[in-house]
Amino acid sequence: MKIAICDDSEEIRLEIAELIKEQCPEAAIYHFSSGEGIIGSPNEYDIIFLDIAMGGISGLEAAEILRERQEKSGGKKVSSSLSPLYLRYAKGGGIVNV
């Protein structure tokens, strides 16, 4: 199983990786510090942990690019869930147009 963790905080990436390894020791974990990094990767992943608010390409933008790429290739679907609270924050901050 290939799992990608994309977060601009190394501390958070390492914490998530540690939790994954406890539950799924055989997983191959790939670390990315930016949206640009993960969308530049040629790999497809079984699971992606994606930070929403990052400098440069946001997690929302990266998710959309990954979703489009995977739909074109017939790969697995990318899904996300956002709380209404975050959507209000994102809309107010100009991150997304809801």
Side-chain angles (χ1 to χ4, degrees), residues 6 34-40 48 50-70 78-80 82 86-87 90 93-97:
C6 182
S34 68
E36 292 87 351
I38 195 164
I39 64 171
I48 299 173
L50 188 58
D51 184 11
I52 299 291
M54 296 184 285
I57 295 176
S58 74
L60 294 173
E61 294 167 316
E64 184 62 29
I65 292 166
L66 293 169
R67 184 179 295 115
E68 289 172 4
R69 181 186 304 163
Q70 289 181 336
V78 175
S79 177
S80 62
L82 297 175
Y86 182 77
L87 286 174
I95 297 173
V96 293
N97 185 9

Side-chain angles (χ1 to χ4, degrees), residues 6-67:
C6 182
D7 197 297
D8 52 357
S9 167
E10 181 179 17
E11 182 179 346
I12 291 173
R13 288 193 312 270
L14 294 174
E15 286 179 25
I16 293 170
E18 185 177 323
L19 292 170
I20 293 167
K21 282 297 187 182
E22 287 174 7
Q23 298 300 315
C24 189
E26 71 282 358
I29 301 174
Y30 300 80
H31 294 250
F32 299 94
S33 61
S34 68
E36 292 87 351
I38 195 164
I39 64 171
S41 171
N43 296 324
E44 287 195 15
Y45 302 96
D46 299 299
I47 299 171
I48 299 173
F49 290 87
L50 188 58
D51 184 11
I52 299 291
M54 296 184 285
I57 295 176
S58 74
L60 294 173
E61 294 167 316
E64 184 62 29
I65 292 166
L66 293 169
R67 184 179 295 115

Side-chain angles (χ1 to χ4, degrees), residues 81-88:
S81 175
L82 297 175
S83 73
L85 177 63
Y86 182 77
L87 286 174
R88 284 193 299 274

